[in-house]
Amino acid sequence: MEVRSIEFKQRASERAIDGSLQGKLKTAKGLFVGGRARAVARFDAEGGDFEALRDVGRGIRDEVLDNLDVWLETFERNATARGATVLWARDGAEISRLVVEIAQRHGVKKAIKSKSMLSEEAGLNEALEAVGVASIETDLGEYIIQLAKEPPSHIIAPAIHKNKEEVADLFEQHHHKPRKTEIAEMTREAREVLRSHFVSADMGITGGNFLVAETGSVALVTNEGNGRMVTTMPKVHVAVVGVEKVIPTLNDLAALLRLLPRSATGQTISNYVSLLTGVKSEADRDGAEHLYYILVDNGRVGLVGSEFQEMLRCIRCGACMNHCPVYQTIGGHAYGWVYPGPMGSVLTPLYTGLDKAPDLPHAATLCNQCGVVCPVKIPLPELLRKLREKQVQTGVGTATAKAERRALKLWGFAARNPRLYAFGARIATRYLKWLAGGKDRIQVLTMVPEWTKGRDFPAPEGKTFRELYAQRAARRR
Amino acid sequence: MSLTDPTARAAARDSILSRLRDTLGADSAAVARRREAVDARLGKVVAPTAPPLADDTAGMLARFRSEAEQMASTVVEVDGWGEVPAAVAAYLAEKGLGTRGVIAPELAALPWSTAGLAVEPREARDADLLGITGCFCAIAETGTLMLLSAPGSPATVSLLPETHVALVPASRLVPTMEAAFARMGEQAPGGQPPRAVNFISGPSRTGDIEQTLVLGAHGPYRVHLVLIRGA
Ligand code: SF4
């Protein structure tokens, strides 16, 4: 997917004034935030310890990252022993090339997909369509935005920005059936359309919530059952999974499954968890005959051992964006790439380059709501701060950031020379008073106009603090 | 990197693994240390994370039942296998769901036709409206069924039909998912997971249109559980 994070500021301000978007986000927020809180409270009331569970989750993910090469080899060995083919891709282009080749090898005409953020990173649908393979999203939310030709705006509720009228329009236009406006009826119509694809597709493409090294399996978590369909009906299953998703054992899976649904939707467990291992046997009556894993780097390997390694613990639950005041105001599309919210503000610059997403590290109030709810205790605000530091060190940034930096340098120099400082401050306050033109607010701050785009700057009285202090001291004496 | 070109395939793999090694320690002693750490971890029993739960049959049964109902399954209890076909027939009659369906072949021997049901032992197809399965385990903590795919229990039977009826013998109850995996290690062929292990907790659902909950997304609209106390 094309990275459009450079347009963050413009998109964010457009969306911040879109009242209908905020209405939709608010409903979802109530459900997800309230749901999570209730689920956590219930877990603790039953004698569990959710805080300790978060530490366990964090520990499992850290242990893997410390020995990631060996865990990947272990996974590869066990998956291969069960008849799967393990492939590796360094970037999105390699993912697309491999999937296209697999499709061609098996004469695939139609592929069905269950939600995979990585295939969004790679722009996989476009690559398949370019060689004549239809590629159909089957998660209802993903399906809706595929019809609308839009990117997802939330990692677990991709069509959160659409209301039912917009969905009804899309269905009417694409399904060629009488328009329906009851949500249950619309869902049934989509089920029927997608069912016809499930039974006729030759290839299923999934992501993977976890790869279990011990058994060479992939675990898929869904509520709709599309993850099961996609891996059961077509003869070929391709799982595209980031290298960081491996976990040691089935028991670790059980522990992480206590964290993921509670953090994501407030469910005790998702409706379906499928653990897929190897291919159909001779005697089996259903299931995929061919299983391919594509283990993907696309920026992940570079984070191992870096100051941003902790980000690789992420289990893609979406809690950080559900609890983020910035996300709640601007929605997911403003972030300009696959991942929105706090996790996206960290991941997008790291995976695509700080120069492509210079504003994202600033798209947070550092209120730490995200850090408090993250099931694997990723210190998101701290990582955002580190990204800002890096931005300053490497000199990447917007014109405003550069002007701010110049001004701070100048200030730093002056602050070390008291006389110069007093003189400079005197000039500056008088200049600002002049700029205000007799009013008490400055509408455009000429040096850093960005600062006054959405608000005015209070004008000084025309005297510096030192001058006022000296006056007062004189009066008292 | 290409599917058909082994050199290119190996190049992508080696580049990813060698870059990891450059960071994690590439000398043979460091690699050996990591291998040992991984081996040790694979054998390690991790501390339990579930809340303290009853592990006696009555306690597990009560918990399983209430959790399953929370996930929108319906539940009836019977005393033994002999009552099962009639209990299933009664449920179908009450809901007006017909008398025909598909059944996991491992359960074909029960006297279904005596109860007036016509069930075919095979995998499910798109047009089937009813699927009857057993379960390998039933997890009390979350009210979850664990089904292992096998020739006698095809994965499609619990997936394609609009109604899924699952038979749950009390002896299959376990407190947690960890306990279910342990039992799989003891009882599944080779102690390994089969092609598909499916954990099912209620009917399929979606909230993707305006976050409004709808039951029956791609899988069943309803899941009905027959708990068999004496089996
Ligand atoms: S960063 Fe944490 S809270 Fe956000 S999606 Fe990842 S795991 Fe969930």
Side-chain angles (χ1 to χ4, degrees):
Chain A
M1 184 177 154
E2 196 196 341
V3 187
R4 298 187 60 191
S5 306
I6 201 86
E7 301 156 24
F8 175 78
K9 279 197 177 155
Q10 186 202 335
R11 290 167 167 238
S13 32
E14 282 162 23
R15 280 160 175 95
I17 48 174
D18 178 354
S20 82
L21 175 68
Q22 269 113 52
K24 294 168 202 162
L25 292 171
K26 211 169 155 196
T27 323
K29 180 187 168 179
L31 280 171
F32 292 147
V33 171
R36 178 192 175 277
R38 278 189 295 278
V40 170
R42 183 173 171 227
F43 185 78
D44 288 341
E46 279 168 356
D49 183 345
F50 200 74
E51 224 10 65
L53 182 60
R54 287 173 73 215
D55 284 323
V56 170
R58 171 200 177 131
I60 293 170
R61 304 293 294 125
D62 277 345
E63 270 181 288
V64 166
L65 295 172
D66 289 343
N67 300 308
L68 187 56
D69 57 335
V70 181
W71 283 116
L72 286 167
E73 285 174 336
T74 309
F75 171 80
E76 180 185 45
R77 193 171 53 246
N78 291 329
T80 310
R82 291 291 301 268
T85 306
V86 179
L87 305 165
W88 304 69
R90 279 165 286 201
D91 54 30
E94 291 195 345
I95 300 174
S96 294
R97 205 146 71 224
L98 282 171
V99 177
V100 163
E101 283 184 39
I102 294 167
Q104 286 167 342
R105 172 186 280 189
H106 296 285
V108 170
K109 304 236 158 36
K110 187 193 282 182
I112 45 176
K113 286 178 62 199
S114 133
K115 195 160 59 196
S116 150
M117 301 312 288
L118 245 174
S119 74
E120 302 275 352
E121 288 182 38
L124 187 56
N125 288 351
E126 293 77 10
L128 283 168
E129 263 143 41
V131 296
V133 177
S135 174
I136 296 142
E137 297 287 350
T138 63
D139 171 88
L140 184 57
E142 290 276 346
Y143 174 68
I144 291 167
I145 59 166
Q146 187 183 31
L147 295 182
K149 297 194 168 51
E150 285 171 19
S153 69
H154 188 288
I155 57 170
I156 59 161
I160 201 167
H161 58 286
K162 291 242 170 284
N163 64 24
K164 69 173 180 182
E165 274 71 32
E166 293 167 296
V167 177
D169 290 345
L170 283 168
F171 283 4
E172 188 182 11
Q173 191 188 332
H174 291 271
H175 294 167
H176 312 293
K177 288 189 178 152
R179 191 172 198 274
K180 300 186 180 59
T181 47
E182 280 292 309
I183 290 175
E185 283 178 27
M186 288 158 71
T187 304
R188 183 174 261 273
E189 184 177 295
R191 171 193 169 104
E192 280 160 13
V193 171
L194 286 167
R195 184 59 81 89
S196 71
H197 293 308
F198 285 131
V199 296
S200 61
D202 323 283
M203 177 161 89
I205 302 169
T206 67
N209 291 88
F210 303 103
L211 297 172
V212 183
E214 172 182 49
T215 53
S217 321
V218 59
L220 295 177
V221 180
T222 72
N223 280 319
E224 296 184 3
N226 58 320
R228 292 190 63 193
M229 287 284 187
V230 169
T231 58
T232 307
M233 305 305 285
K235 63 178 192 253
V236 184
H237 171 202
V238 185
V240 186
V241 193
V243 288
E244 85 283 15
K245 289 292 185 69
V246 65
I247 57 171
T249 65
L250 294 174
N251 282 342
D252 295 310
L253 175 67
L256 289 164
L257 285 174
R258 287 190 184 94
L259 280 172
L260 177 58
R262 284 184 174 88
S263 303
T265 53
Q267 287 171 289
T268 309
I269 181 105
S270 301
N271 287 77
Y272 297 111
V273 177
S274 298
L275 183 77
L276 301 152
T277 317
V279 295
K280 165 182 188 292
S281 73
E282 282 285 302
D284 273 334
R285 294 164 189 253
D286 52 23
E289 293 160 36
H290 307 277
L291 171 59
Y292 295 88
Y293 287 107
I294 302 181
L295 305 182
V296 183
D297 169 5
N298 210 30
R300 288 151 175 83
V301 170
L303 300 189
V304 175
S306 80
E307 56 186 329
F308 299 104
Q309 169 168 318
E310 292 182 280
M311 196 59 225
L312 293 177
R313 291 204 295 264
C314 176
I315 58 172
R316 305 286 189 269
C317 71
C320 54
M321 59 201 73
N322 294 336
H323 290 76
C324 176
V326 176
Y327 177 90
Q328 290 305 326
T329 308
I330 62 176
H333 282 160
Y335 292 81
W337 198 52
V338 181
Y339 304 106
M343 54 89 83
S345 292
V346 177
L347 277 181
T348 305
L350 289 175
Y351 284 179
T352 69
L354 253 178
D355 53 330
K356 292 214 173 67
D359 295 319
L360 290 190
H362 303 270
T365 63
L366 305 188
C367 67
N368 199 30
Q369 276 294 307
C370 51
V372 170
V373 295
C374 177
V376 285
K377 294 200 167 175
I378 298 173
L380 290 153
E382 195 184 313
L383 296 182
L384 285 166
R385 234 180 341 249
K386 279 188 193 159
L387 272 172
R388 293 180 187 181
E389 267 167 37
K390 207 170 141 175
Q391 207 165 30
V392 174
Q393 280 158 14
T394 53
V396 182
T398 53
T400 310
K402 284 183 185 143
E404 283 168 9
R405 222 156 32 234
R406 269 197 302 275
L408 281 175
K409 251 201 199 130
L410 209 64
W411 182 85
F413 176 70
R416 268 167 297 176
N417 302 278
R419 287 228 181 103
L420 180 62
Y421 187 87
F423 176 70
R426 230 164 30 232
I427 305 249
T429 42
R430 281 168 181 109
Y431 169 69
L432 289 174
K433 187 181 158 96
W434 172 79
L435 208 58
K439 298 193 206 80
D440 60 349
R441 324 279 310 165
I442 301 171
Q443 257 146 32
V444 183
L445 211 53
T446 32
M447 304 86 82
V448 275
E450 292 275 306
W451 279 16
T452 43
K453 233 180 178 173
R455 59 202 191 285
D456 293 340
F457 191 87
E461 294 289 334
K463 291 219 166 94
T464 67
F465 174 74
R466 285 160 171 251
E467 287 171 323
L468 292 170
Y469 189 81
Q471 265 178 16
R472 264 202 143 156
R475 238 180 283 143
R476 246 185 246 147
R477 240 182 272 134
Chain B
M1 179 281 335
S2 158
L3 189 55
T4 44
D5 176 354
T7 332
R9 263 173 71 169
R13 178 184 188 276
D14 292 346
S15 130
I16 291 175
L17 288 177
S18 69
R19 269 185 305 133
L20 282 172
R21 280 196 189 112
D22 287 345
T23 322
L24 300 171
D27 59 290
S28 53
V31 175
R33 260 199 312 279
R34 288 204 298 283
R35 293 225 160 97
E36 267 167 44
V38 165
D39 281 343
R41 180 60 167 76
L42 283 170
K44 192 173 122 191
V45 184
V46 285
T49 52
L53 299 167
D55 56 4
D56 61 300
T57 304
M60 287 192 291
L61 198 129
R63 168 94 188 186
F64 175 81
R65 181 169 182 154
S66 81
E67 290 297 313
E69 284 170 345
Q70 287 223 3
M71 295 298 284
S73 296
T74 50
V75 185
V76 292
E77 292 180 32
V78 299
D79 282 325
W81 281 107
E83 297 169 35
V84 168
V88 174
Y91 165 76
L92 295 174
E94 187 205 321
K95 301 275 173 192
L97 295 170
T99 55
R100 313 189 67 81
V102 50
I103 189 165
E106 64 187 7
L107 296 169
L110 290 175
W112 298 105
S113 57
T114 324
L117 300 180
V119 288
E120 292 177 41
R122 55 167 168 81
E123 74 283 5
R125 299 175 197 135
D126 184 26
D128 292 319
L129 293 177
L130 163 70
I132 303 176
T133 72
C135 66
F136 177 75
C137 275
I139 300 167
E141 181 185 357
T142 49
T144 300
L145 300 169
M146 179 197 204
L147 270 61
L148 306 188
S149 74
S153 66
T156 40
V157 180
S158 59
L159 179 63
L160 293 179
E162 292 190 359
T163 304
H164 172 204
V165 174
L167 315 183
V168 185
S171 60
R172 292 277 130 199
L173 284 164
V174 291
T176 60
M177 189 178 274
E178 284 89 341
F181 282 137
R183 196 180 277 204
M184 181 175 80
E186 290 155 17
Q187 298 180 358
Q192 288 293 311
R195 186 196 70 81
V197 179
N198 283 304
F199 295 96
I200 301 172
S201 311
S204 71
R205 67 179 68 201
T206 181
D208 273 346
I209 304 177
E210 291 191 351
Q211 273 44 63
T212 303
L213 177 70
V214 178
L215 293 183
H218 295 305
Y221 282 82
R222 52 195 85 77
V223 174
H224 182 66
L225 307 173
V226 182
L227 286 173
I228 312 165
R229 283 188 291 252

